[in-house]
């Protein structure tokens, strides 16, 4: 039998049921934990998270957890995406760098809010997949690059904000350099478990850092390690 909730396509594989699940995700996982930035909430409602996971994982796309995206990598828990995006305090005109494109979900959420998103991915398999996915979904303000995000994307710097979604064991100097004065970077730093740091670049080129919440990200891979 025809099921309106499941079988009607709103746009690009979105359905009324998935939209409802997204609204519930935002209420129960994001707003309930005090992330209230209206830009972030609207972006998370607009981006169909189930389109960023494998089809057989679709049903779990709105759960309160990270999900596998292949290559031993995961798409972050919705709350963490919301928290990191909100920490940048976006107003809509920014140019943002993301390190670790993964599934493209975080980039898509950012791209709903800001002018332009640059995202770097080190996995050859994932980078092809994510570039195709974002293009197919019509995100024409996201540029994807294959490479070591540890080095940032100097040609496109300075950035108003940087989101790092794999964990290095210290703050990469090159990323601080590519941040504009007053710009903010959210970055998980540490080994197995990390603290999410909010880094703000100061007038004199140095930075201040604040520890926000404990998080668990996959480690950041260095190109040099990969080639060895
Ligand atoms: N932001 C992603 C999730 C990231 S998972 C999303 O929304 O789906 C972490 C990603 O960082 C993985 O895809 C991994 O391949 C990538 N990564 C790890 N080290 C990296 C590096 N040095 N440069 C760029 N990407 C890196």
């Amino acid at each position: 039998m025809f099921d309106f909730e499941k079988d009607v396509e709103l746009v690009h594989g979105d359905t009324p049921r998935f939209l409802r699940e997204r609204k519930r995700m935002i209420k129960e996982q994001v707003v309930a934990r005090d992330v209230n930035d209206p830009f972030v909430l609207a972006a998370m409602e607009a981006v169909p998270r189930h389109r960023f996971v494998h089809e057989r994982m679709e049903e779990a796309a709105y759960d309160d957890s990270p999900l596998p995206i292949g290559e031993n990598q995961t798409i972050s828990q919705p709350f963490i995406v919301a928290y990191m995006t909100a920490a940048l305090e976006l107003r809509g005109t920014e140019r943002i760098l993301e390190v670790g494109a993964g599934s493209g979900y975080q980039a898509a959420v950012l791209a709903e809010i800001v002018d332009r998103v640059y995202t770097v991915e080190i996995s050859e398999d994932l980078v092809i997949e994510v570039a195709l996915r974002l293009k197919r979904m019509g995100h024409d303000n996201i540029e994807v690059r294959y490479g070591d995000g540890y080095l940032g994307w100097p040609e496109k710097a300075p950035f108003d904000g940087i989101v790092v979604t794999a964990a290095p064991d210290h703050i990469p100097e090159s990323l601080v350099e590519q941040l504009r004065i007053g710009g903010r970077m959210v970055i998980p730093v540490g080994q197995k478990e990390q603290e999410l740091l909010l880094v703000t670049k100061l007038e004199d080129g140095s930075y201040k850092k604040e520890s926000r919440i404990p998080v668990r990200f996959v480690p950041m891979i260095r190109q040099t390690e990969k080639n060895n």
Side-chain angles (χ1 to χ4, degrees):
M1 204 180 74
F2 183 77
D3 179 345
F4 176 79
E5 292 287 310
K6 249 182 105 177
D7 300 333
V8 164
E9 186 167 313
L10 292 175
V11 61
H12 297 314
D14 205 7
T15 64
R17 184 171 61 101
F18 281 132
L19 177 58
R20 235 193 12 243
E21 285 197 32
R22 274 205 301 289
K23 290 188 173 173
R24 189 171 52 84
M25 167 190 88
I26 292 162
K27 186 163 159 241
E28 293 176 4
Q29 301 173 32
V30 180
V31 176
R33 295 179 184 133
D34 291 330
V35 174
N36 293 300
D37 184 321
F39 283 122
V40 176
L41 304 185
M44 290 189 73
E45 182 170 325
V47 178
R49 184 169 158 97
H50 63 280
R51 301 279 320 278
F52 293 81
V53 298
H54 193 278
E55 237 171 273
R56 52 170 204 282
M57 304 284 312
E58 266 187 9
E59 295 301 320
Y62 298 102
D63 290 358
D64 192 10
S65 64
L67 290 173
I69 52 172
E71 303 294 304
N72 284 325
Q73 302 298 333
T74 56
I75 170 174
S76 307
Q77 180 191 6
F79 169 69
I80 296 295
V81 174
Y83 188 92
M84 291 175 87
T85 311
L88 295 177
E89 297 188 357
L90 301 168
R91 289 297 160 261
T93 53
E94 293 88 350
R95 303 167 70 249
I96 303 293
L97 173 70
E98 179 191 28
V99 175
S103 69
Y105 178 68
Q106 170 78 74
V109 169
L110 287 164
E112 286 289 328
I113 305 173
V114 303
D115 263 2
R116 211 152 187 89
V117 178
Y118 300 90
T119 183
V120 184
E121 173 54 57
I122 205 167
S123 155
E124 277 178 59
D125 291 335
L126 290 178
V127 80
I128 294 169
E129 222 177 288
V130 71
L132 288 173
R133 174 180 298 126
L134 291 169
K135 187 157 194 257
R136 206 169 49 226
M137 293 181 75
H139 286 288
D140 53 11
N141 61 340
I142 305 177
E143 285 183 47
V144 182
R145 177 194 207 179
Y146 168 62
D148 185 354
Y150 199 90
L151 307 171
W153 193 332
E155 297 82 358
K156 305 291 184 184
F159 301 101
D160 302 298
I162 301 182
V163 179
V164 182
T165 68
D169 58 10
H170 64 282
I171 298 172
E173 203 46 52
S174 42
L175 295 183
V176 177
E177 264 167 37
Q178 291 171 36
L179 205 51
R180 75 158 169 81
I181 305 286
R184 294 168 157 241
M185 167 162 71
V186 270
I187 178 167
V189 176
Q191 309 265 325
K192 229 175 149 190
E193 288 171 13
Q194 305 97 29
E195 47 177 356
L196 190 66
L197 301 181
L198 174 64
V199 172
T200 311
K201 184 148 172 189
L202 306 174
E203 289 285 344
D204 64 2
S206 69
Y207 62 85
K208 88 171 181 223
K209 63 173 192 193
E210 297 158 48
S211 178
R212 286 296 185 88
I213 52 172
V215 286
R216 255 171 195 270
F217 277 82
V218 295
M220 190 186 270
I221 301 159
R222 299 300 317 272
Q223 194 90 63
T224 43
E225 292 165 15
K226 219 183 141 196
N227 292 339
N228 286 339

